[in-house]
Amino acid sequence: MRIFTDPVNIGDKYISITDKGDIKHMVKVMRLKEGYKVDVSDSAQWEYETEIDQITDDEVLLRILDKQAFAREPEVRVTLFQGVPKAGKMETIIQKCVELGVYSITPVFMERTVVVEKGNFGKKLDRWQKVSDEAVKQCKRGIIPEINSSLKFKEMIKELGSFDLILFPYENESNYSIKDCLRGLCEEGRKPKTVAIIIGPEGGFADSEATMLDEAGAERVTLGKTILRTETAGMAALAMTMYELEL
């Protein structure tokens, strides 16, 4: 199993786990005992192979066996700007995109978003962050991707200037693919380090939104011959991006 902890809990020879949730998961759920191996990440740069040295009610003390820089984190940092979908689709999007290597996910309210903000969106964000937390433990990544606070479309546009590349999968684009875009940049020696992927909600993008993305410098790309659902499009675009830039 993998545990994430703050670097302040990590010493030269030992790591102290005092979070009650982590202790319960390790001892009560996983039934780990002294001598069992545990992977630990500091969520910043380093991952550790450890062995349980001591278990008390308030602490699990781990002895460090090995320390390495992150081995499973992609070099490229991809942020998914996801048009807020209906029902429980967002949880599936988060889980699978975390497994595929996304760096962070930002929910975006767009013109054709069906979901209405009723003042309780903060609870959804908390739940979605827990989905990310659990998904990353399963796939043993070095960081926990953050589920950012939601934005309105025009607010999102202002955030895009900080990215090396903005990918805009659009149903009305049929000739220029993510592969064409990324391979062209790499051949020119301009491999991006930060990428934004913009995915519309169930109803797609409004014409005015597509125009604003064009003006923001986004690359219109196609994901293939079929029209993908919003819960599929982000995963597909992320997988294609990771294939071209990481594998």
Side-chain angles (χ1 to χ4, degrees):
M1 67 171 295
R2 170 151 294 202
I3 293 292
F4 291 83
T5 192
D6 193 285
V8 299
N9 298 322
I10 301 174
D12 293 335
K13 296 182 179 180
Y14 292 93
I15 299 174
S16 175
I17 303 298
T18 56
D19 181 87
K20 293 188 180 300
D22 287 335
I23 294 173
K24 179 180 178 181
H25 185 72
M26 295 170 72
V27 178
K28 301 296 184 182
V29 179
M30 300 300 296
R31 300 187 181 278
L32 301 184
K33 302 181 184 299
E34 293 175 2
Y36 278 52
K37 300 291 193 302
V38 179
D39 289 336
V40 179
S41 169
D42 68 359
S43 300
Q45 182 180 6
W46 301 103
E47 54 191 17
Y48 301 81
E49 179 186 349
T50 74
E51 179 181 86
I52 297 178
D53 186 74
Q54 186 178 17
I55 298 174
T56 66
D57 290 340
D58 299 317
E59 180 188 42
V60 175
L61 189 64
L62 306 173
R63 183 166 59 88
I64 297 173
L65 303 177
D66 189 35
K67 174 184 176 180
Q68 301 286 341
F70 290 157
R72 294 182 175 88
E73 277 306 304
E75 291 184 10
V76 61
R77 292 187 172 185
V78 179
T79 295
L80 174 66
F81 290 90
Q82 173 67 51
V84 179
K86 295 185 293 185
K89 295 176 182 179
M90 194 67 171
E91 294 188 12
T92 300
I93 293 168
I94 292 168
Q95 182 187 69
K96 301 309 177 186
C97 286
V98 166
E99 292 177 16
L100 288 166
V102 78
Y103 181 73
S104 65
I105 298 175
T106 301
V108 183
F109 284 92
M110 302 184 183
E111 185 173 324
R112 295 176 180 172
T113 299
V114 177
V115 178
V116 178
E117 165 65 286
K118 297 180 179 179
N120 63 345
F121 206 75
K123 293 181 179 179
K124 289 186 178 181
L125 289 172
D126 290 340
R127 186 171 72 249
W128 291 344
Q129 186 62 61
K130 289 179 181 178
V131 172
S132 178
D133 296 351
E134 291 304 315
V136 84
K137 290 177 182 178
Q138 182 274 327
C139 60
K140 295 189 176 182
R141 287 185 55 186
I143 67 162
I144 299 175
E146 185 174 357
I147 310 305
N148 301 312
S149 298
S150 62
L151 298 174
K152 295 180 180 178
F153 188 86
K154 290 184 178 180
E155 293 173 329
M156 178 198 72
I157 291 291
K158 295 177 182 179
E159 300 254 332
L160 297 180
S162 62
F163 291 89
D164 296 337
L165 175 66
I166 308 163
L167 292 174
F168 167 32
Y170 190 41
E171 62 188 49
N172 291 337
E173 175 59 48
S174 58
N175 296 316
Y176 191 53
S177 68
I178 286 182
K179 178 177 70 175
D180 295 330
C181 177
L182 295 177
R183 289 190 181 180
L185 289 172
C186 291
E187 288 171 0
E188 295 171 5
R190 297 192 294 132
K191 181 179 178 180
K193 294 182 178 179
T194 57
V195 178
I197 296 177
I198 320 297
I199 302 296
E202 284 86 353
F205 294 98
D207 291 343
S208 60
E209 292 173 334
T211 299
M212 280 189 276
L213 284 169
D214 289 337
E215 293 172 348
E219 297 279 356
R220 290 193 183 200
V221 293
T222 177
L223 298 179
K225 295 181 179 180
T226 59
I227 304 298
L228 302 182
R229 293 176 181 270
T230 186
E231 64 268 31
T232 308
M235 300 177 209
L238 178 60
M240 294 174 190
T241 300
M242 289 299 176
Y243 176 80
E244 290 296 334
L245 297 181
E246 291 289 329
L247 299 180

mmCIF file of all heavy atoms in Angstrom, residues 207-242:
data_model
loop_
_atom_site.group_PDB
_atom_site.id
_atom_site.type_symbol
_atom_site.label_atom_id
_atom_site.label_comp_id
_atom_site.label_asym_id
_atom_site.label_seq_id
_atom_site.Cartn_x
_atom_site.Cartn_y
_atom_site.Cartn_z
ATOM 1 N N ASP A 207 -20.981 28.345 -29.484
ATOM 2 C CA ASP A 207 -20.143 28.960 -30.511
ATOM 3 C C ASP A 207 -19.278 30.076 -29.935
ATOM 4 O O ASP A 207 -18.102 30.232 -30.306
ATOM 5 C CB ASP A 207 -21.019 29.513 -31.646
ATOM 6 C CG ASP A 207 -21.685 28.406 -32.455
ATOM 7 O OD1 ASP A 207 -21.224 27.253 -32.356
ATOM 8 O OD2 ASP A 207 -22.652 28.702 -33.173
ATOM 9 N N SER A 208 -19.843 30.857 -29.020
ATOM 10 C CA SER A 208 -19.087 31.966 -28.429
ATOM 11 C C SER A 208 -17.917 31.452 -27.597
ATOM 12 O O SER A 208 -16.846 32.076 -27.546
ATOM 13 C CB SER A 208 -20.013 32.824 -27.553
ATOM 14 O OG SER A 208 -20.585 32.039 -26.501
ATOM 15 N N GLU A 209 -18.098 30.307 -26.951
ATOM 16 C CA GLU A 209 -17.024 29.725 -26.149
ATOM 17 C C GLU A 209 -15.895 29.220 -27.048
ATOM 18 O O GLU A 209 -14.714 29.391 -26.737
ATOM 19 C CB GLU A 209 -17.570 28.590 -25.280
ATOM 20 C CG GLU A 209 -18.508 29.079 -24.179
ATOM 21 C CD GLU A 209 -19.178 27.945 -23.440
ATOM 22 O OE1 GLU A 209 -19.337 26.848 -24.035
ATOM 23 O OE2 GLU A 209 -19.570 28.142 -22.277
ATOM 24 N N ALA A 210 -16.270 28.590 -28.155
ATOM 25 C CA ALA A 210 -15.261 28.128 -29.110
ATOM 26 C C ALA A 210 -14.442 29.303 -29.636
ATOM 27 O O ALA A 210 -13.218 29.216 -29.779
ATOM 28 C CB ALA A 210 -15.939 27.384 -30.263
ATOM 29 N N THR A 211 -15.115 30.419 -29.896
ATOM 30 C CA THR A 211 -14.415 31.615 -30.384
ATOM 31 C C THR A 211 -13.443 32.141 -29.343
ATOM 32 O O THR A 211 -12.299 32.509 -29.657
ATOM 33 C CB THR A 211 -15.433 32.709 -30.751
ATOM 34 O OG1 THR A 211 -16.280 32.231 -31.798
ATOM 35 C CG2 THR A 211 -14.733 33.979 -31.203
ATOM 36 N N MET A 212 -13.876 32.163 -28.064
ATOM 37 C CA MET A 212 -12.992 32.646 -26.996
ATOM 38 C C MET A 212 -11.774 31.752 -26.834
ATOM 39 O O MET A 212 -10.662 32.237 -26.571
ATOM 40 C CB MET A 212 -13.769 32.743 -25.679
ATOM 41 C CG MET A 212 -14.631 33.994 -25.555
ATOM 42 S SD MET A 212 -15.329 34.209 -23.894
ATOM 43 C CE MET A 212 -16.774 33.165 -24.030
ATOM 44 N N LEU A 213 -11.953 30.457 -26.998
ATOM 45 C CA LEU A 213 -10.813 29.538 -26.898
ATOM 46 C C LEU A 213 -9.847 29.746 -28.061
ATOM 47 O O LEU A 213 -8.625 29.710 -27.880
ATOM 48 C CB LEU A 213 -11.308 28.091 -26.854
ATOM 49 C CG LEU A 213 -11.892 27.647 -25.505
ATOM 50 C CD1 LEU A 213 -12.599 26.312 -25.632
ATOM 51 C CD2 LEU A 213 -10.794 27.567 -24.452
ATOM 52 N N ASP A 214 -10.389 29.986 -29.243
ATOM 53 C CA ASP A 214 -9.532 30.305 -30.396
ATOM 54 C C ASP A 214 -8.704 31.549 -30.101
ATOM 55 O O ASP A 214 -7.490 31.588 -30.358
ATOM 56 C CB ASP A 214 -10.382 30.532 -31.647
ATOM 57 C CG ASP A 214 -11.004 29.242 -32.177
ATOM 58 O OD1 ASP A 214 -10.466 28.157 -31.875
ATOM 59 O OD2 ASP A 214 -12.021 29.336 -32.884
ATOM 60 N N GLU A 215 -9.348 32.562 -29.556
ATOM 61 C CA GLU A 215 -8.667 33.829 -29.278
ATOM 62 C C GLU A 215 -7.625 33.673 -28.160
ATOM 63 O O GLU A 215 -6.659 34.437 -28.091
ATOM 64 C CB GLU A 215 -9.690 34.895 -28.898
ATOM 65 C CG GLU A 215 -10.604 35.288 -30.062
ATOM 66 C CD GLU A 215 -11.740 36.205 -29.641
ATOM 67 O OE1 GLU A 215 -11.952 36.359 -28.406
ATOM 68 O OE2 GLU A 215 -12.426 36.748 -30.530
ATOM 69 N N ALA A 216 -7.836 32.673 -27.291
ATOM 70 C CA ALA A 216 -6.890 32.419 -26.198
ATOM 71 C C ALA A 216 -5.690 31.593 -26.655
ATOM 72 O O ALA A 216 -4.793 31.308 -25.866
ATOM 73 C CB ALA A 216 -7.606 31.716 -25.046
ATOM 74 N N GLY A 217 -5.700 31.185 -27.941
ATOM 75 C CA GLY A 217 -4.568 30.431 -28.473
ATOM 76 C C GLY A 217 -4.707 28.926 -28.360
ATOM 77 O O GLY A 217 -3.724 28.194 -28.529
ATOM 78 N N ALA A 218 -5.918 28.447 -28.086
ATOM 79 C CA ALA A 218 -6.130 27.002 -27.970
ATOM 80 C C ALA A 218 -6.022 26.324 -29.331
ATOM 81 O O ALA A 218 -6.380 26.912 -30.357
ATOM 82 C CB ALA A 218 -7.502 26.721 -27.353
ATOM 83 N N GLU A 219 -5.538 25.093 -29.325
ATOM 84 C CA GLU A 219 -5.422 24.289 -30.541
ATOM 85 C C GLU A 219 -6.679 23.428 -30.695
ATOM 86 O O GLU A 219 -6.931 22.534 -29.879
ATOM 87 C CB GLU A 219 -4.190 23.388 -30.465
ATOM 88 C CG GLU A 219 -2.869 24.123 -30.385
ATOM 89 C CD GLU A 219 -2.395 24.604 -31.747
ATOM 90 O OE1 GLU A 219 -3.062 24.286 -32.763
ATOM 91 O OE2 GLU A 219 -1.356 25.281 -31.807
ATOM 92 N N ARG A 220 -7.475 23.713 -31.746
ATOM 93 C CA ARG A 220 -8.630 22.853 -32.032
ATOM 94 C C ARG A 220 -8.139 21.498 -32.535
ATOM 95 O O ARG A 220 -7.367 21.432 -33.496
ATOM 96 C CB ARG A 220 -9.513 23.471 -33.110
ATOM 97 C CG ARG A 220 -10.279 24.696 -32.693
ATOM 98 C CD ARG A 220 -11.349 25.002 -33.736
ATOM 99 N NE ARG A 220 -12.075 26.221 -33.439
ATOM 100 C CZ ARG A 220 -13.276 26.516 -33.949
ATOM 101 N NH1 ARG A 220 -13.856 25.653 -34.782
ATOM 102 N NH2 ARG A 220 -13.880 27.648 -33.645
ATOM 103 N N VAL A 221 -8.587 20.415 -31.878
ATOM 104 C CA VAL A 221 -8.155 19.075 -32.287
ATOM 105 C C VAL A 221 -9.352 18.130 -32.300
ATOM 106 O O VAL A 221 -10.365 18.366 -31.649
ATOM 107 C CB VAL A 221 -7.069 18.510 -31.349
ATOM 108 C CG1 VAL A 221 -5.775 19.302 -31.460
ATOM 109 C CG2 VAL A 221 -7.555 18.476 -29.903
ATOM 110 N N THR A 222 -9.208 17.061 -33.073
ATOM 111 C CA THR A 222 -10.224 16.017 -33.086
ATOM 112 C C THR A 222 -9.736 14.815 -32.289
ATOM 113 O O THR A 222 -8.535 14.534 -32.248
ATOM 114 C CB THR A 222 -10.564 15.577 -34.522
ATOM 115 O OG1 THR A 222 -11.505 14.496 -34.470
ATOM 116 C CG2 THR A 222 -9.327 15.108 -35.277
ATOM 117 N N LEU A 223 -10.672 14.107 -31.658
ATOM 118 C CA LEU A 223 -10.351 12.887 -30.918
ATOM 119 C C LEU A 223 -10.690 11.635 -31.723
ATOM 120 O O LEU A 223 -10.602 10.522 -31.206
ATOM 121 C CB LEU A 223 -11.121 12.865 -29.580
ATOM 122 C CG LEU A 223 -10.795 13.997 -28.605
ATOM 123 C CD1 LEU A 223 -11.636 13.859 -27.341
ATOM 124 C CD2 LEU A 223 -9.319 14.016 -28.259
ATOM 125 N N GLY A 224 -11.079 11.809 -32.963
ATOM 126 C CA GLY A 224 -11.424 10.667 -33.797
ATOM 127 C C GLY A 224 -12.704 10.908 -34.565
ATOM 128 O O GLY A 224 -13.287 11.995 -34.524
ATOM 129 N N LYS A 225 -13.152 9.881 -35.238
ATOM 130 C CA LYS A 225 -14.309 10.026 -36.129
ATOM 131 C C LYS A 225 -15.641 10.054 -35.389
ATOM 132 O O LYS A 225 -16.640 10.520 -35.920
ATOM 133 C CB LYS A 225 -14.311 8.887 -37.151
ATOM 134 C CG LYS A 225 -13.116 8.933 -38.101
ATOM 135 C CD LYS A 225 -13.165 7.794 -39.111
ATOM 136 C CE LYS A 225 -11.982 7.860 -40.070
ATOM 137 N NZ LYS A 225 -12.004 6.756 -41.060
ATOM 138 N N THR A 226 -15.673 9.515 -34.172
ATOM 139 C CA THR A 226 -16.929 9.485 -33.426
ATOM 140 C C THR A 226 -16.985 10.633 -32.424
ATOM 141 O O THR A 226 -15.963 11.171 -32.018
ATOM 142 C CB THR A 226 -17.086 8.150 -32.661
ATOM 143 O OG1 THR A 226 -15.983 7.994 -31.754
ATOM 144 C CG2 THR A 226 -17.099 6.978 -33.628
ATOM 145 N N ILE A 227 -18.204 10.990 -32.012
ATOM 146 C CA ILE A 227 -18.406 12.027 -31.000
ATOM 147 C C ILE A 227 -18.422 11.347 -29.638
ATOM 148 O O ILE A 227 -19.278 10.496 -29.369
ATOM 149 C CB ILE A 227 -19.726 12.788 -31.233
ATOM 150 C CG1 ILE A 227 -19.765 13.383 -32.642
ATOM 151 C CG2 ILE A 227 -19.893 13.866 -30.172
ATOM 152 C CD1 ILE A 227 -18.679 14.384 -32.907
ATOM 153 N N LEU A 228 -17.505 11.711 -28.773
ATOM 154 C CA LEU A 228 -17.390 11.076 -27.456
ATOM 155 C C LEU A 228 -18.231 11.799 -26.414
ATOM 156 O O LEU A 228 -18.417 13.019 -26.473
ATOM 157 C CB LEU A 228 -15.926 11.072 -27.010
ATOM 158 C CG LEU A 228 -14.927 10.363 -27.927
ATOM 159 C CD1 LEU A 228 -13.534 10.417 -27.314
ATOM 160 C CD2 LEU A 228 -15.335 8.927 -28.194
ATOM 161 N N ARG A 229 -18.726 11.031 -25.439
ATOM 162 C CA ARG A 229 -19.422 11.622 -24.300
ATOM 163 C C ARG A 229 -18.440 12.450 -23.478
ATOM 164 O O ARG A 229 -17.237 12.216 -23.502
ATOM 165 C CB ARG A 229 -20.026 10.533 -23.417
ATOM 166 C CG ARG A 229 -21.158 9.739 -24.068
ATOM 167 C CD ARG A 229 -21.601 8.635 -23.134
ATOM 168 N NE ARG A 229 -22.672 7.831 -23.704
ATOM 169 C CZ ARG A 229 -23.969 8.091 -23.561
ATOM 170 N NH1 ARG A 229 -24.347 9.135 -22.819
ATOM 171 N NH2 ARG A 229 -24.880 7.325 -24.111
ATOM 172 N N THR A 230 -18.958 13.395 -22.702
ATOM 173 C CA THR A 230 -18.086 14.251 -21.898
ATOM 174 C C THR A 230 -17.264 13.448 -20.907
ATOM 175 O O THR A 230 -16.109 13.777 -20.630
ATOM 176 C CB THR A 230 -18.901 15.332 -21.160
ATOM 177 O OG1 THR A 230 -18.001 16.221 -20.499
ATOM 178 C CG2 THR A 230 -19.872 14.725 -20.136
ATOM 179 N N GLU A 231 -17.825 12.352 -20.362
ATOM 180 C CA GLU A 231 -17.079 11.545 -19.396
ATOM 181 C C GLU A 231 -16.016 10.668 -20.052
ATOM 182 O O GLU A 231 -15.162 10.097 -19.370
ATOM 183 C CB GLU A 231 -18.027 10.673 -18.553
ATOM 184 C CG GLU A 231 -18.802 9.624 -19.308
ATOM 185 C CD GLU A 231 -20.157 10.108 -19.786
ATOM 186 O OE1 GLU A 231 -20.298 11.317 -20.074
ATOM 187 O OE2 GLU A 231 -21.074 9.264 -19.859
ATOM 188 N N THR A 232 -16.064 10.553 -21.385
ATOM 189 C CA THR A 232 -15.070 9.771 -22.121
ATOM 190 C C THR A 232 -14.011 10.660 -22.761
ATOM 191 O O THR A 232 -12.835 10.288 -22.856
ATOM 192 C CB THR A 232 -15.752 8.946 -23.235
ATOM 193 O OG1 THR A 232 -16.826 8.197 -22.679
ATOM 194 C CG2 THR A 232 -14.763 7.989 -23.894
ATOM 195 N N ALA A 233 -14.404 11.866 -23.163
ATOM 196 C CA ALA A 233 -13.526 12.729 -23.954
ATOM 197 C C ALA A 233 -12.255 13.119 -23.204
ATOM 198 O O ALA A 233 -11.153 13.092 -23.762
ATOM 199 C CB ALA A 233 -14.286 13.982 -24.380
ATOM 200 N N GLY A 234 -12.386 13.483 -21.933
ATOM 201 C CA GLY A 234 -11.214 13.892 -21.162
ATOM 202 C C GLY A 234 -10.215 12.762 -21.001
ATOM 203 O O GLY A 234 -9.001 12.958 -21.127
ATOM 204 N N MET A 235 -10.733 11.566 -20.704
ATOM 205 C CA MET A 235 -9.851 10.402 -20.557
ATOM 206 C C MET A 235 -9.132 10.109 -21.866
ATOM 207 O O MET A 235 -7.923 9.830 -21.882
ATOM 208 C CB MET A 235 -10.671 9.170 -20.158
ATOM 209 C CG MET A 235 -11.430 9.272 -18.871
ATOM 210 S SD MET A 235 -12.382 7.750 -18.632
ATOM 211 C CE MET A 235 -13.768 8.382 -17.682
ATOM 212 N N ALA A 236 -9.870 10.165 -22.974
ATOM 213 C CA ALA A 236 -9.271 9.872 -24.280
ATOM 214 C C ALA A 236 -8.198 10.897 -24.627
ATOM 215 O O ALA A 236 -7.094 10.548 -25.056
ATOM 216 C CB ALA A 236 -10.359 9.854 -25.357
ATOM 217 N N ALA A 237 -8.501 12.174 -24.421
ATOM 218 C CA ALA A 237 -7.541 13.227 -24.736
ATOM 219 C C ALA A 237 -6.293 13.108 -23.858
ATOM 220 O O ALA A 237 -5.160 13.286 -24.330
ATOM 221 C CB ALA A 237 -8.188 14.599 -24.552
ATOM 222 N N LEU A 238 -6.493 12.792 -22.582
ATOM 223 C CA LEU A 238 -5.363 12.649 -21.666
ATOM 224 C C LEU A 238 -4.498 11.453 -22.054
ATOM 225 O O LEU A 238 -3.264 11.549 -22.072
ATOM 226 C CB LEU A 238 -5.882 12.494 -20.234
ATOM 227 C CG LEU A 238 -4.834 12.279 -19.145
ATOM 228 C CD1 LEU A 238 -3.853 13.445 -19.084
ATOM 229 C CD2 LEU A 238 -5.520 12.089 -17.790
ATOM 230 N N ALA A 239 -5.146 10.322 -22.377
ATOM 231 C CA ALA A 239 -4.396 9.129 -22.770
ATOM 232 C C ALA A 239 -3.575 9.385 -24.033
ATOM 233 O O ALA A 239 -2.407 8.984 -24.129
ATOM 234 C CB ALA A 239 -5.357 7.957 -22.979
ATOM 235 N N MET A 240 -4.185 10.065 -25.008
ATOM 236 C CA MET A 240 -3.460 10.386 -26.242
ATOM 237 C C MET A 240 -2.273 11.307 -25.959
ATOM 238 O O MET A 240 -1.183 11.132 -26.516
ATOM 239 C CB MET A 240 -4.412 11.058 -27.240
ATOM 240 C CG MET A 240 -5.518 10.163 -27.746
ATOM 241 S SD MET A 240 -6.709 11.091 -28.775
ATOM 242 C CE MET A 240 -8.020 9.885 -28.961
ATOM 243 N N THR A 241 -2.478 12.283 -25.090
ATOM 244 C CA THR A 241 -1.418 13.234 -24.749
ATOM 245 C C THR A 241 -0.255 12.505 -24.062
ATOM 246 O O THR A 241 0.920 12.729 -24.375
ATOM 247 C CB THR A 241 -1.959 14.346 -23.851
ATOM 248 O OG1 THR A 241 -3.014 15.033 -24.548
ATOM 249 C CG2 THR A 241 -0.881 15.340 -23.470
ATOM 250 N N MET A 242 -0.584 11.661 -23.098
ATOM 251 C CA MET A 242 0.448 10.924 -22.373
ATOM 252 C C MET A 242 1.205 9.973 -23.304
ATOM 253 O O MET A 242 2.432 9.809 -23.190
ATOM 254 C CB MET A 242 -0.170 10.143 -21.205
ATOM 255 C CG MET A 242 -0.631 11.018 -20.064
ATOM 256 S SD MET A 242 0.750 11.934 -19.346
ATOM 257 C CE MET A 242 -0.096 12.932 -18.131
#
